[in-house]
C-alpha cells in the first residue's frame, strides 16, 4: 500500500474510533455489549473464577482488541461469547447482548443458528480448525447450506467468490485441496473465508497470526482491514502482539488476571497509558531504535497469580513497581475514568500520580560484549535432499532422481561473543542449516569449520564429546524436547554425565542447582516434572540444559516465538546475560526482525535456501537493502505510535526448493523487479567496503535511492520515501 494511502487510512480509523466511542442511545446499539461478566470453572478444588467484572462494547464496523499475557482470560471471554465454555465452565454473572439480543437467554438450537451465521470465530491454529479428511469445498459449502436456504450450486459459487475475496489465487485448486495440501497462510485464509461466508456481524479472532510468518501475518492483517471495510464486520481481535493491535484495531482493552485493567482508543492507550501493567507490557517489547546495550528489555517480574490465589486489592500489586501498601491492597479496585481522554479508563488508584512518560529502560545501559576470533566459518555450504521418482516415464528419461535444494552456497562467519541472526520466512532453509551445524544432517558440499574442526560432513554420532558439548541447541518448542517422565534435575544431570563434566551424583546435583540459579528458576524445580512448569519455565530448563556442557556456541531456533511478550523479554535477557557471563557465540534463528534488531550484532537474510543479504544490524536496517529485506522490515508490527512505516505486502508463496527460479530466487515475488534478467540470471553480489553484501540485479545506486521503511510518524509519508 502506498504510504500516503496508509497514513490516510490511519487517520480515518482514528476518526472512526472517536465517533464510535461517542455514539449513544437506542438508534445506535452496539453489536456486542458485555456488562459485568463473571465466568468460572468448576474443578475438584472448587470454583475457579476466570473472568470477573468484565465489561466491553463493540460497535458496528469497529475492531476492538483484547491484549494481555496467557492466562489473563482473553480466550475465556471469546468462548463465553460463543457459549463454548464446556461442561465445567459457566457464566455466573453479568450479561452478554448481541445486537440487542440476550445471548445468555438463548437455547442450544438458537445458538447453533447464530454461530457461523451472525457470530463467527477464527482460531489460533488453522489446521486444528479444519477437518483433514474433507476437501476445502466440502467444508466451505456446508456453512451457507446449514445457515441459509440455498442450493449446492449457489453455495459453491459463494465459496469460490469468498476465496477470491480473501485473496487466495486459483480458487478452483484450493476448493479441490485437502487442508494438508495448503500452506499455513493459505489455511488461515480458508478459515477466515469460512467465517465470513454467511456475512456475520461479529468476527472473533483468537490469535489468528501467532503461528504464521511475519510476511504472511502482514497479509492477514491487511486482509482483516479489507474485510472490515468491505463487509462492515465488527472484529474482536485477541492478541498479545501490541504492534498488530496498533495496525488492526480502533480500541483496545488490556486484561490482567481475569479483569479489564485499561481500555480506550489504541492511540490513547499506547501513547498515554495509565496503568502500570500496560507500561510493563510495553517495556517487554523492543522499540525500533533500541538495542541490547542502550535500552535493554525489562520483563515484568513475577507471574500471573493463580485464580484461587489472587491478592486482595489490585491483582497486579505483587508485580507492580508502583505498589503502595495500605492503599493498593485495600478492597477491590474499580475502573476509573481518565480525565481529559474520551473513553479512556484504568483500574488503578494511582493512575493520576504516576509519571508514565518515564521509560526506565532509558536509565539502563550495559557495556558492549567484546567480539573475539572466528568461532564458526561456513564457506559455500550446500544441502541437497534426493527425491526419487520410480515412475516409468522418469526412469526412461533418466530423471528418476531430482534434488531439493534446501541450502545453496551459504557463506558467513560467527565470532566469539557475537550474536548472528539468521532471518527469513518458513521454508527458506534456516532450520536445515541448524540441523547441519548440529550434525543431524551432513552438508552436500562446501566447508563448515567450528573451532578449527571441519564438521560439515561429520554426523552427530561420529562427533567427539568435546565437539558435542561445545555446540548446543535451544529448540523452539520445549514441550517436544523435554522428557515428560523425567524430573528437571534428572534431565540436566544426564547432560553432565554424558559429557563427563560431573560423574559423581552429588557433584552433578550441585552443578544442576547452579544452572537453575543461572536461569533464575527456584532450586525446588529440581524435582519437578515438565507438566508442572509453565511454557517460559520449560524454555528456561531447555536453556539450562543447553548450557550444562559449557558450550562455546549455542544455536537458538525460534526460542521465544511461542511465548508471551513478558516471558519473551525474560528469556531474551537471560540468553544475553549467560552469553556475557560465558563469552558464548549465539546463532539466533528467527523471523521476528524487531527482536532480531534488538539483540543481533550481525544479520544473515535467507530466501529459498540462499543468502540475499548480510551485514551488521545497523546496515541491514538502513538503506541500501535487498528488496526482500525491505519487505521483511515492512512486515514488522510496530507498537510505537511515534513511528510510521511503509507498507509492502508480498503476494504469492515461496517457490518450491525442488524447482527454484533460474535467476534470482526472489524474482517471482519481488516488488522492485529490474527486468528479464531477474528471471534468467543469478543476481550479482554487491559488497560494500564495510562487508555489507547484497545479492541483487539492481545497482547499488538504485538500492541507495530507496527510502527507509521506518520513519517518524509526524513526517509526511512522501518525505520519507
Amino acid at each position: 500500500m502506498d504510504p500516503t494511502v496508509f497514513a490516510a487510512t490511519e487517520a480515518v480509523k482514528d476518526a472512526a474510533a472517536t465517533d464510535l466511542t461517542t455514539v449513544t442511545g437506542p438508534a445506535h446499539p452496539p453489536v456486542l455489549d458485555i456488562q459485568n461478566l463473571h465466568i468460572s470453572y468448576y474443578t475438584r478444588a472448587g470454583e475457579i473464577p476466570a473472568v470477573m467484572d468484565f465489561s466491553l462494547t463493540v460497535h458496528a464496523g469497529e475492531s476492538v482488541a483484547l491484549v494481555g499475557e496467557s492466562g489473563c482470560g482473553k480466550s475465556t471471554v471469546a468462548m463465553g461469547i460463543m457459549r463454548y465454555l464446556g461442561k465445567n465452565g459457566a457464566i455466573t454473572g453479568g450479561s452478554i447482548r448481541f445486537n440487542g439480543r440476550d445471548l445468555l437467554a438463548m437455547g442450544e438450537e438458537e445458538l447453533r443458528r447464530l454461530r457461523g451465521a451472525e457470530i463467527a470465530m477464527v482460531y489460533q491454529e488453522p489446521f486444528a480448525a479444519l477437518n483433514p479428511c474433507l476437501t476445502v469445498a466440502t467444508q466451505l459449502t456446508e456453512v451457507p447450506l446449514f445457515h441459509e436456504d440455498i442450493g449446492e450450486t449457489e453455495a459453491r459459487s459463494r465459496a469460490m467468490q469468498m476465496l477470491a475475496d480473501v485473496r487466495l489465487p486459483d480458487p478452483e485448486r484450493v476448493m479441490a485441496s485437502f487442508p494438508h495440501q495448503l500452506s499455513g497462510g493459505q489455511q488461515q485464509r480458508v478459515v477466515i473465508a469460512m467465517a465470513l461466508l454467511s456475512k456475520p456481524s461479529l468476527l472473533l479472532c483468537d490469535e489468528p497470526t501467532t503461528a504464521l510468518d511475519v510476511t504472511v501475518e502482514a497479509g492477514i492483517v491487511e486482509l482483516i482491514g479489507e474485510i472490515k471495510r468491505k463487509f462492515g464486520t465488527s472484529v474482536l481481535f485477541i492478541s498479545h502482539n501490541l504492534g498488530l493491535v496498533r495496525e488492526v484495531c480502533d480500541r483496545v482493552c488490556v486484561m490482567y488476571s481475569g479483569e479489564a485493567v485499561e481500555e480506550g482508543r489504541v492511540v490513547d492507550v499506547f501513547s498515554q497509558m495509565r496503568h502500570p501493567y500496560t507500561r510493563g507490557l510495553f517495556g517487554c517489547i523492543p522499540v525500533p531504535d533500541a538495542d541490547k546495550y542502550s535500552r535493554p528489555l525489562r520483563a515484568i517480574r513475577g507471574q500471573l497469580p493463580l485464580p484461587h490465589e489472587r491478592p486482595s486489592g489490585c491483582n497486579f500489586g505483587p508485580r507492580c513497581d508502583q505498589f503502595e501498601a495500605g492503599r493498593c491492597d485495600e478492597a477491590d479496585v474499580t475502573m476509573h475514568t481518565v480525565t481529559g481522554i474520551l473513553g479512556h479508563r484504568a483500574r488503578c488508584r494511582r493512575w493520576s500520580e504516576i509519571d508514565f512518560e518515564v521509560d526506565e529502560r532509558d536509565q539502563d545501559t550495559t557495556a558492549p560484549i567484546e567480539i573475539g576470533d572466528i568461532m564458526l566459518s561456513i564457506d559455500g555450504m550446500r544441502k541437497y535432499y534426493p527425491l526419487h521418482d520410480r515412475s516409468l516415464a522418469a526412469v526412461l528419461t533418466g530423471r528418476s532422481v531430482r534434488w531439493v535444494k534446501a541450502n545453496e552456497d551459504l557463506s558467513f562467519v560467527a565470532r566469539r561473543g557475537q550474536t548472528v541472526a539468521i532471518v527469513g520466512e518458513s521454508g527458506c532453509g534456516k532450520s536445515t542449516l541448524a540441523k547441519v551445524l548440529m550434525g543431524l544432517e551432513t552438508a552436500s558440499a562446501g566447508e563448515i569449520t567450528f573451532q578449527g574442526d571441519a564438521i560439515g560432513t561429520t554426523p552427530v554420532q561420529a562427533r567427539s564429546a568435546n565437539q558435542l558439548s561445545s555446540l548446543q541447541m535451544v529448540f523452539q518448542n520445549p514441550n517436544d524436547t523435554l522428557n515428560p517422565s523425567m524430573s528437571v534435575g534428572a534431565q540436566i544431570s544426564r547432560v553432565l554425565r554424558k559429557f563427563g563434566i560431573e560423574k559423581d551424583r552429588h557433584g552433578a546435583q550441585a552443578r544442576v542447582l547452579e544452572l537453575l540459579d543461572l536461569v533464575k528458576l527456584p532450586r525446588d524445580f529440581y524435582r519437578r516434572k515438565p507438566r508442572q512448569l509453565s511454557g517460559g519455565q520449560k524454555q528456561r530448563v531447555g536453556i539450562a540444559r543447553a548450557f550444562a556442557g559449557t558450550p562455546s556456541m549455542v544455536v537458538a531456533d525460534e526460542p521465544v516465538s511461542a511465548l508471551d511478550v513478558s516471558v519473551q523479554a525474560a528469556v531474551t535477557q537471560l540468553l544475553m546475560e549467560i552469553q556475557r557471563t560465558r563469552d558464548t557465540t549465539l546463532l539466533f534463528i528467527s523471523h521476528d526482525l524487531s527482536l532480531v534488531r534488538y539483540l543481533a550484532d550481525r544479520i544473515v537474510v535467507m530466501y529459498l535456501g540462499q543468502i540475499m543479504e548480510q551485514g551488521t544490524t545497523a546496515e541491514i536496517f538502513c538503506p541500501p537493502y535487498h528488496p526482500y529485506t525491505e519487505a521483511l522490515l515492512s512486515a514488522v508490527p510496530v507498537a510505537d505510535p511515534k513511528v510510521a512505516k511503509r507498507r509492502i505486502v508480498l503476494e504469492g508463496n515461496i517457490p518450491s526448493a525442488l524447482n527454484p527460479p533460474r535467476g534470482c530466487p526472489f524474482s517471482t515475488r519481488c516488488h522492485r523487479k529490474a527486468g528479464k534478467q531477474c528471471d534468467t540470471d543469478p543476481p550479482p553480489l554487491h559488497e560494500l567496503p564495510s562487508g555489507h553484501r547484497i545479492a541483487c540485479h539492481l545497482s547499488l545506486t538504485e538500492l541507495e535511492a530507496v527510502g527507509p521503511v521506518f520513519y517518524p510518524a509526524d513526517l509526511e509519508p512522501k518525505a520519507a520515501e
Side-chain angles (χ1 to χ4, degrees):
M1 182 183 289
D2 181 87
T4 309
V5 176
F6 178 58
T9 303
E10 291 290 288
V12 170
K13 187 171 77 172
D14 287 344
T18 303
D19 291 340
L20 286 166
T21 56
T22 60
V23 170
T24 58
H28 300 281
V31 172
L32 179 68
D33 185 8
I34 303 175
Q35 296 296 327
N36 309 117
L37 182 66
H38 292 256
I39 300 177
S40 293
Y41 289 97
Y42 295 89
T43 67
R44 293 178 181 177
E47 180 182 351
I48 306 295
V51 173
M52 305 168 298
D53 190 29
F54 180 82
S55 298
L56 181 74
T57 58
V58 182
H59 293 269
E62 184 185 27
S63 56
V64 178
L66 284 183
V67 303
E69 297 169 280
S70 294
C72 71
K74 306 186 300 293
S75 295
T76 300
V77 169
M79 291 303 179
I81 296 169
M82 296 293 287
R83 298 281 301 277
Y84 279 152
L85 292 173
K87 293 182 178 180
N88 69 325
I91 295 173
T92 58
S95 65
I96 306 176
R97 305 189 73 85
F98 172 71
N99 282 332
R101 298 151 63 189
D102 188 355
L103 285 177
L104 304 186
M106 291 184 182
E108 281 300 319
E109 181 59 32
E110 192 175 1
L111 284 171
R112 274 196 296 270
R113 292 293 174 183
L114 188 73
R115 298 172 186 142
E118 298 184 59
I119 304 177
M121 190 161 182
V122 177
Y123 297 90
Q124 177 174 348
E125 179 51 63
F127 196 76
L130 295 171
N131 190 324
C133 302
L134 300 178
T135 64
V136 170
T138 302
Q139 299 184 63
L140 286 180
T141 55
E142 70 179 3
V143 175
L145 286 174
F146 178 81
H147 290 291
E148 302 173 43
D149 185 19
I150 62 173
E152 289 192 15
T153 302
E154 185 180 349
R156 182 177 179 83
S157 175
R158 279 179 47 183
M160 291 274 289
Q161 181 58 49
M162 189 56 70
L163 289 179
D165 286 341
V166 298
R167 297 189 305 188
L168 272 171
D170 195 1
E172 281 281 4
R173 181 190 66 81
V174 175
M175 289 281 280
S177 301
F178 287 90
H180 71 271
Q181 296 173 306
L182 305 177
S183 69
Q186 290 172 329
Q187 289 173 11
Q188 193 62 287
R189 287 172 188 261
V190 168
V191 171
I192 292 174
M194 187 184 303
L196 294 172
L197 265 171
S198 289
K199 297 185 175 66
S201 302
L202 177 64
L203 185 65
L204 309 179
C205 297
D206 190 0
E207 301 276 11
T209 63
T210 299
L212 304 178
D213 275 327
V214 65
T215 51
V216 181
E217 179 181 75
I220 297 296
V221 167
E222 188 87 359
L223 174 63
I224 292 174
E226 288 182 6
I227 287 168
K228 280 178 53 186
R229 292 188 292 272
K230 182 172 183 178
F231 299 103
T233 308
S234 301
V235 179
L236 184 62
F237 190 84
I238 298 172
S239 180
H240 63 257
N241 189 323
L242 299 175
L244 278 185
V245 167
R246 183 193 168 207
E247 295 187 3
V248 173
C249 299
D250 306 307
R251 290 191 295 119
V252 60
C253 176
V254 183
M255 289 191 70
Y256 181 80
S257 190
E259 295 179 329
V261 296
E262 186 165 8
E263 64 173 334
R265 293 196 312 158
V266 169
V267 66
D268 294 330
V269 173
F270 281 28
S271 61
Q272 302 180 69
M273 59 200 70
R274 290 296 180 265
H275 196 283
Y277 179 59
T278 310
R279 171 77 271 175
L281 289 177
F282 273 84
C284 294
I285 58 176
V287 294
D289 60 346
D291 61 54
K292 57 188 175 184
Y293 301 126
S294 62
R295 298 183 72 187
L297 301 181
R298 290 176 65 93
I300 303 173
R301 57 186 172 85
Q303 296 179 21
L304 275 166
L306 295 173
H308 57 282
E309 296 178 354
R310 291 187 175 104
S312 58
C314 177
N315 286 339
F316 187 60
R319 305 175 70 188
C320 182
D321 294 332
Q322 309 295 334
F323 179 79
E324 186 178 298
R327 184 179 176 191
C328 296
D329 53 0
E330 284 189 353
D332 292 335
V333 183
T334 58
M335 292 289 274
H336 298 270
T337 299
V338 176
T339 307
I341 307 178
L342 188 65
H344 194 170
R345 301 194 304 157
R347 193 182 295 269
C348 178
R349 289 196 174 102
R350 301 196 60 215
W351 71 267
S352 60
E353 306 167 14
I354 302 170
D355 186 358
F356 289 98
E357 301 302 319
V358 175
D359 189 342
E360 291 82 359
R361 291 181 295 177
D362 293 333
Q363 305 165 11
D364 297 339
T365 57
T366 56
I369 299 174
E370 184 176 344
I371 306 300
D373 298 330
I374 292 176
M375 180 70 62
L376 173 73
S377 175
I378 300 178
D379 186 13
M381 192 277 279
R382 297 180 180 180
K383 178 58 185 177
Y384 294 174
Y385 293 97
L387 186 65
H388 298 278
D389 188 347
R390 306 297 186 187
S391 67
L392 179 61
V395 173
L396 291 176
T397 57
R399 298 179 178 177
S400 57
V401 179
R402 301 169 68 191
W403 296 93
V404 177
K405 299 179 179 180
N407 288 150
E408 182 75 36
D409 196 25
L410 303 186
S411 298
F412 66 91
V413 298
R415 297 178 177 273
R416 181 177 295 278
Q418 191 176 50
T419 299
V420 178
I422 312 294
V423 301
E425 297 168 282
S426 296
C428 74
K430 306 187 301 292
S431 294
T432 299
L433 169 62
K435 291 177 182 177
V436 173
L437 290 177
M438 300 305 298
L440 303 176
E441 303 279 358
T442 55
S444 303
E447 296 182 357
I448 301 177
T449 305
F450 175 66
Q451 291 185 319
D453 296 332
I455 62 171
T457 56
T458 307
V460 65
Q461 298 89 342
R463 294 187 182 182
S464 66
N466 181 60
Q467 288 175 329
L468 291 173
S469 64
S470 295
L471 183 58
Q472 285 291 298
M473 189 165 182
V474 178
F475 296 89
Q476 177 176 357
N477 190 348
N479 288 317
D480 295 339
T481 58
L482 295 178
N483 190 325
S485 62
M486 293 177 64
S487 68
V488 168
Q491 299 192 55
I492 301 176
S493 298
R494 185 172 180 269
V495 177
L496 298 173
R497 293 195 303 272
K498 176 72 176 178
F499 296 141
I501 296 172
E502 287 288 352
K503 296 183 179 180
D504 176 68
R505 183 170 64 86
H506 296 291
Q509 181 176 355
R511 189 66 174 266
V512 171
L513 294 176
E514 292 176 4
L515 286 165
L516 291 178
D517 292 340
L518 183 69
V519 297
K520 297 179 173 58
L521 284 177
R523 289 194 166 198
D524 61 5
F525 276 37
Y526 183 95
R527 292 180 173 80
R528 290 196 183 186
K529 299 287 181 65
R531 67 175 182 274
Q532 298 173 290
L533 309 182
S534 68
Q537 290 168 340
K538 291 176 187 175
Q539 194 61 288
R540 287 171 184 256
V541 172
I543 293 172
R545 187 175 60 181
F547 280 91
T550 60
S552 302
M553 181 173 179
V554 170
V555 179
D557 189 2
E558 301 274 13
V560 298
S561 63
L563 305 177
D564 277 329
V565 289
S566 57
V567 184
Q568 275 187 14
V571 172
T572 301
Q573 288 304 101
L574 176 63
L575 283 171
M576 296 299 98
E577 290 175 18
I578 297 175
Q579 181 186 35
R580 178 181 293 276
T581 303
R582 303 202 171 189
D583 204 20
T584 308
T585 302
L586 185 64
L587 194 68
F588 192 86
I589 297 173
S590 179
H591 65 259
D592 184 351
L593 267 79
S594 59
L595 185 60
V596 163
R597 180 176 188 169
Y598 167 75
L599 62 87
D601 301 302
R602 289 187 66 82
I603 299 175
V604 176
V605 181
M606 289 184 63
Y607 183 82
L608 200 62
Q610 301 185 38
I611 295 177
M612 296 288 95
E613 183 174 4
Q614 61 175 299
T616 65
T617 302
E619 290 169 338
I620 296 295
F621 277 79
C622 294
Y625 29 52
H626 192 278
Y628 180 57
T629 307
E630 182 188 10
L632 288 178
L633 293 175
S634 175
V636 174
V638 179
D640 190 347
K642 297 188 294 295
V643 177
K645 67 175 182 178
R646 290 189 290 113
R647 180 71 62 87
I648 302 166
V649 178
L650 293 180
E651 300 293 342
N653 300 311
I654 298 178
S656 170
L658 184 64
N659 186 28
R662 288 176 52 201
C664 174
F666 188 54
S667 61
T668 59
R669 303 170 73 197
C670 185
H671 56 287
R672 297 191 183 277
K673 198 169 180 178
K676 291 183 179 179
Q677 69 267 30
C678 294
D679 295 320
T680 57
D681 303 327
L685 183 64
H686 305 296
E687 184 164 5
L688 282 73
S690 63
H692 185 192
R693 299 177 181 178
I694 304 174
C696 186
H697 283 287
L698 293 171
S699 68
L700 273 177
T701 303
E702 291 173 301
L703 294 173
E704 287 170 348
V706 175
V709 169
F710 303 107
Y711 58 91
D714 57 357
L715 186 66
E716 286 293 328
K718 288 297 182 184
E721 286 279 5

